[in-house]
Amino acid sequence: MCKGLAEVAGEATGSARMTPIRFGLKFYEPGDYMHVHRDDGKCSITFSCGLTPGLASMGWLPRMRWLTTRQVADRLSDTPYPDGGETFPVRHRVLTGFDGSRIPHWRTPLDSQSREVLITICFTDLSV
């Protein structure tokens, strides 16, 4: 799977040698959320999906892509997850790739009584 996904990551980024550098599982209990953040700067592309079916969309702010982390933090210092912004679906067992190291993103509190699991896989280009 990783070889095929590395090829997809390469096509999406235009990079020659994409390699997975981080794999994570985030376990959500009712009310859990993810603060607004950016992924590790080494991640050229992040893929995520729900291992379980009950995760809602992820919020993100593509218009803040070009701001520094300090500028983003200053603008969003009053909230762990901003109102507004855009969203993209976190699909059940279907990976979605996004620019997580440059675009601030978050998850609002889980509003169901179920437990949910988010998978993330980050890739970087080793040819540079």
Side-chain angles (χ1 to χ4, degrees):
M1 178 190 99
C2 272
K3 183 177 182 197
L5 191 53
E7 290 173 2
V8 171
E11 289 174 15
T13 61
S15 299
R17 290 184 41 219
M18 298 301 286
T19 301
I21 60 169
R22 188 179 68 185
F23 175 83
L25 296 170
K26 179 133 175 99
F27 297 87
Y28 287 91
E29 300 280 336
D32 285 350
Y33 61 92
M34 185 186 309
H35 284 270
V36 64
H37 70 284
R38 288 180 168 147
D39 297 337
D40 183 318
K42 296 174 187 155
C43 295
S44 300
I45 189 169
T46 301
F47 290 92
S48 68
C49 74
L51 182 60
T52 54
L55 288 169
S57 297
M58 185 173 295
W60 70 332
L61 295 164
R63 69 181 184 278
M64 290 189 175
R65 158 187 217 116
W66 307 113
L67 298 179
T68 66
T69 298
R70 170 72 2 221
Q71 289 170 319
V72 171
D74 288 346
R75 290 184 186 198
L76 302 176
S77 63
D78 295 335
T79 180
Y81 46 91
D83 284 334
E86 298 178 33
T87 62
F88 64 89
V90 176
R91 297 172 59 196
H92 180 226
R93 297 184 183 172
V94 177
L95 290 169
T96 299
F98 63 101
D99 192 356
S101 66
R102 289 177 201 75
I103 299 177
H105 54 284
W106 68 92
R107 292 196 45 76
T108 56
L110 183 63
D111 63 357
S112 71
Q113 292 306 306
S114 62
R115 294 179 179 167
E116 304 294 340
V117 182
L118 178 74
I119 295 173
T120 58
I121 307 167
C122 294
F123 283 80
T124 195
D125 182 2
L126 292 182
S127 65
V128 288

